Amino acid sequence: MKILLVGSGGREHALAWKLAQSDSCEALYCAPGNAGIEDSAICVPIKVDQIEELVNFAKEKSIDLVVVGPENPLVDGLGDAMNAANINVFGSSAKAAQLEGSKGFMKDLCAKYNIPTAKYGRFTELDKAQKFIESAGLPIVVKTDGLAAGKGVIICETEGQAIEAARDMLSGDSFGAAGHEVIIEEFLEGEEVSFFALADGKTILPLTSAQDHKRVGEGDTGLNTGGMGAYSPAHFMNDDIERQIIENLIEPTIAGMAAEGCPFTGVLFAGIMVKDGVATLLEHNVRFGDPECQAIMMRLQGDLAQILLAGSQGRLDEVKDQISWSDDVAICVVMAAKGYPAAYEKNTIIKGIDQANKVKDVHVFHAGTAKDGDGNIISVGGRVLGVTAIGSNIAKAQEQAYRAVDLINWDQGFCRRDIGWRAL
Ligand code: AMP
Ligand code: GLY
């Protein structure tokens, strides 16, 4: 089949790498892609928000399957536009993407279908938000309703801080339209895990778990980022926690979405807090995690193209036996531009990626990279590379990943040296 992958990050490089290995993949295009994706796919200069251009390209090339990486184009209706053009698309409708696109929608779904999640309120007026904050305990979490590139969540230690966060969001000052409604919720303690499942509207195909490292600094300190590293599976997963996640969090979500008239198709990424062996939902996303996806793709065995095609056609029940997971542990260490997640320099030259790729059981996935006129790999984003390794245990995988990191010559970059520490 001919496949069009939409996106340009490390997640999309990992998906491209795996799709290109699928026997059933005859041609792979990626819009817009990056310098690493070029090794697995033909990159086409169409941005993820150019919905009409993406549909026209898919028609022109007789694309059999469109795979959408990031959430924004799904929220904006790329899935619906492909469906309207009779093109198979792995990714949700705009209505179903509200699971990620509106935290209020997601929380109300949880309330209606008894899905365990933090207690919450939805507010568009500051005085009501303030009363709620004053009557709830501390710490308390203030969130934008809409998409804010992973930055619209503020954990507040004092009432004053929470009221200020709500004020800044509601006024539009801090997050524009995404903050015109805020969700204020109870702070959950515990250890976080990401769990992924495919869904085709009715059938659920549980995948696997991963643990992300969201803070910029070692020991999970400093500012929140999109993710500085991940490993899979999460060290504390067991059959009981997995059963709770599937039965209490994922199944009622998929059933609830169908009952609400917006069946969910694509990959559901549940962000979960586990405390004393009990799993509670933090949030849903409608895509693979980045960098969780890089670790997960290293462990996936099976023809990813066939599995995603089945997902797009309501046939997931037919491919349940075609997917399996390596028992090994995979780890992804993100290399970011110095300064990230605040301001950072762009267009700096990175050397040594080829040598790093030669380290046994390692693959370097590109995120924010491009090629300059001389063919050098240059940085064009905050998170730039995902050095990913697989090994029989976390220590071995970590050792290989950092061996590869140390072969990369990039003065303007940095990484955390402790990815996987909770598992060690
Ligand atoms: P979200 O965008 O909802 O995933 O939030 C980003 C991060 O904020 C999560 O990964 C958690 O680390 C943290 N977080 C969000 N909501 C809560 C909560 N209710 N209690 C504790 N931590 C939270
Ligand atoms: N790594 C977290 C996310 O993709 O949202």
Side-chain angles (χ1 to χ4, degrees):
M1 67 180 106
K2 296 189 189 123
I3 303 173
L4 169 63
L5 172 65
V6 177
S8 63
R11 165 183 49 214
E12 286 75 25
H13 190 186
L15 290 171
W17 175 77
K18 199 70 203 174
L19 286 168
Q21 289 168 33
S22 301
D23 287 338
S24 54
C25 178
E26 173 198 326
L28 178 63
Y29 299 92
C30 186
N34 64 38
I37 294 176
E38 282 175 15
D39 294 341
S40 306
I42 299 167
C43 292
V44 289
I46 309 175
K47 297 202 182 95
V48 303
D49 60 359
Q50 293 179 295
I51 292 183
E52 207 181 312
E53 287 83 347
L54 288 168
V55 173
N56 288 340
F57 179 84
K59 281 188 192 156
E60 239 168 65
K61 297 286 181 192
S62 309
I63 294 292
D64 301 295
L65 172 67
V66 177
V67 177
V68 185
E71 65 279 15
N72 293 79
L74 293 172
V75 171
D76 292 345
L78 178 60
D80 308 82
M82 290 294 175
N83 275 322
N86 280 319
I87 299 164
N88 294 312
V89 57
F90 184 81
S92 71
S93 67
K95 235 175 136 187
Q98 289 306 298
L99 264 186
E100 178 167 1
S102 165
K103 290 194 157 75
F105 174 92
M106 174 254 157
K107 297 294 286 189
D108 286 353
L109 189 91
C110 289
K112 187 162 173 188
Y113 295 95
N114 294 317
I115 300 167
T117 186
K119 292 194 196 82
Y120 73 105
R122 298 178 69 163
F123 303 95
T124 51
E125 291 161 41
L126 185 61
D127 55 339
K128 289 187 181 141
Q130 181 161 349
K131 283 201 189 92
F132 184 87
I133 290 166
E134 284 162 358
S135 66
L138 291 170
I140 192 159
V141 186
V142 182
K143 303 183 172 185
T144 60
D145 177 64
L147 293 179
K151 298 191 179 107
V153 174
I154 303 184
I155 294 168
C156 305
E157 301 293 339
T158 66
E159 282 178 12
Q161 213 185 341
I163 292 164
E164 192 187 319
R167 179 185 295 117
D168 288 349
M169 286 179 185
L170 288 170
S171 68
D173 285 353
S174 47
F175 296 99
H180 284 163
E181 178 173 337
V182 297
I183 312 305
I184 304 181
E185 68 180 38
E186 169 198 15
F187 176 80
L188 296 178
E189 282 173 38
E191 193 162 353
E192 270 185 77
V193 60
S194 307
F195 194 87
F196 299 87
L198 305 184
D200 64 5
K202 40 188 202 297
T203 302
I204 298 166
L205 203 174
L207 300 181
T208 189
S209 67
Q211 194 169 44
D212 189 11
H213 299 57
K214 289 206 164 87
R215 304 293 197 96
V216 73
E218 276 153 30
D220 295 335
T221 54
L223 293 175
N224 248 324
T225 70
M228 292 301 294
Y231 70 95
S232 169
H235 70 98
F236 59 86
M237 280 302 286
N238 59 39
D239 289 348
D240 180 55
I241 297 176
E242 183 158 332
R243 182 194 54 77
Q244 286 181 51
I245 292 173
I246 295 167
E247 288 179 8
N248 302 347
L249 310 182
I250 294 181
E251 285 176 359
T253 298
I254 300 300
M257 291 297 282
E260 294 297 308
C262 42
F264 182 81
T265 338
V267 56
L268 186 66
F269 157 8
I272 296 149
M273 196 68 96
V274 178
K275 184 166 184 249
D276 301 331
V278 177
T280 306
L281 185 68
L282 280 175
E283 58 160 358
H284 276 315
N285 299 298
V286 300
R287 54 181 173 82
F288 281 105
D290 187 338
E292 290 96 323
C293 186
Q294 292 85 314
I296 286 174
M297 287 303 135
M298 293 282 273
R299 291 184 53 231
L300 175 71
Q301 292 161 350
D303 186 315
L304 181 64
Q306 283 298 348
I307 292 161
L308 299 187
L309 180 69
S312 76
Q313 294 177 325
R315 296 187 293 105
L316 270 185
D317 54 332
E318 292 174 19
V319 296
K320 280 198 155 172
D321 301 332
Q322 292 177 30
I323 192 163
S324 63
W325 300 94
S326 158
D327 289 332
D328 289 350
V329 179
I331 185 168
C332 174
V333 176
V334 169
M335 298 187 75
K338 279 181 189 162
Y340 174 82
Y344 53 82
E345 204 181 332
K346 281 191 188 175
N347 302 319
T348 60
I349 294 178
I350 307 164
K351 300 254 186 214
I353 296 175
D354 288 345
Q355 286 88 315
N357 260 323
K358 286 187 192 126
V359 175
K360 190 170 167 291
D361 301 323
V362 165
H363 199 85
V364 181
F365 294 115
H366 291 226
T369 67
K371 279 187 185 147
D372 71 8
D374 301 322
N376 293 307
I377 302 288
I378 56 168
S379 68
V380 294
R383 294 190 295 167
V384 175
L385 298 172
V387 181
T388 311
I390 188 161
S392 55
N393 60 44
I394 183 83
K396 286 186 183 150
Q398 194 197 49
E399 192 184 327
Q400 290 307 87
Y402 284 112
R403 185 168 289 163
V405 162
D406 290 337
L407 292 169
I408 292 173
N409 190 341
W410 180 33
D411 287 344
Q412 295 83 2
F414 77 100
C415 68
R416 274 179 62 169
R417 300 290 312 189
D418 66 344
I419 301 304
W421 71 277
R422 286 177 192 275
L424 284 158

